[in-house]
Amino acid sequence: MARPNPLMTLSELAQNDTDAAARELGRLQGLRTQAEQQLNQLTQYRQEYRERMQVVAAEGMTTSRWHDFSRFLDSLDHAIRQQTAALDKAEADLLTGRSNWQKQKRRLNSFDTLIARADAREEKVVARREQRTNDEYAARLARDAGSRLN
């Protein structure tokens, strides 16, 4: 029975950490995409509203209606600034998440490399042992064959 390899336990833990980091990275990507879509929607809505304001203004509008349009545009501008900040934060969080995933992946790869090296060393030991056993058996056969001839 093969003896338990502590590196395998560490590798499994590193795999769990890598998987968790990958799930988090996916979640962060989703949040970033959502923030970008919301910003695009706000920007598009602002553009449409401004065009509507220009059409109405060309036909003539009251001062109070002009102020209402202007206040609403100001509130849209404020929402766009807030959403831009949210997108910037989502992008920073995504970069941090990507960095964490890469770190976890490198850690996992390191354990996998160590395990492969340990396995290769063990295979060499086993191969030498088998070779020694085969050499001893061949030597014994040669001695036995030589003693029969004499």
Side-chain angles (χ1 to χ4, degrees):
M1 180 172 155
R3 61 183 179 183
N5 185 346
L7 287 176
M8 290 300 288
T9 302
L10 293 173
S11 178
E12 290 169 6
L13 293 173
Q15 181 66 56
N16 292 342
D17 291 345
T18 302
D19 292 347
R23 283 190 299 276
E24 178 65 6
L25 184 59
R27 186 185 74 78
L28 292 170
Q29 179 61 47
L31 291 175
R32 190 239 172 253
T33 299
Q34 182 181 17
E36 182 180 36
Q37 289 172 346
Q38 288 174 348
L39 177 60
N40 290 340
Q41 288 172 344
L42 283 169
T43 303
Q44 181 181 354
Y45 183 65
R46 186 199 184 286
Q47 181 63 31
E48 292 169 1
Y49 193 79
R50 182 162 173 73
E51 290 170 2
R52 195 173 331 134
M53 179 180 156
Q54 289 173 340
V55 168
V56 171
E59 296 171 356
M61 73 169 70
T62 64
T63 306
S64 69
R65 184 123 192 242
W66 176 263
H67 287 297
D68 289 343
F69 268 106
S70 295
R71 275 195 303 270
F72 190 69
L73 279 176
D74 288 344
S75 68
L76 281 175
D77 288 340
H78 179 71
I80 287 170
R81 284 190 300 276
Q82 286 180 324
Q83 194 59 39
T84 299
L87 178 58
D88 290 345
K89 182 184 181 320
E91 287 176 345
D93 291 347
L94 180 60
L95 287 175
T96 300
R98 185 174 293 125
S99 175
N100 181 48
W101 174 79
Q102 288 170 339
K103 177 182 141 196
Q104 295 301 329
K105 186 68 175 159
R106 281 190 305 272
R107 183 172 169 255
L108 175 60
N109 290 343
S110 295
F111 283 122
D112 289 345
T113 300
L114 290 173
I115 290 168
R117 287 178 186 165
D119 288 348
R121 279 192 304 271
E122 183 65 26
E123 287 174 15
K124 283 182 182 179
V125 168
V126 169
R128 281 188 205 127
R129 192 176 304 135
E130 287 176 2
Q131 184 63 46
R132 194 175 318 125
T133 302
N134 289 338
D135 290 348
E136 289 172 1
Y137 180 72
R140 209 173 315 131
L141 283 178
R143 270 193 317 263
D144 290 347
S147 65
R148 281 189 213 138
L149 293 174
N150 292 334

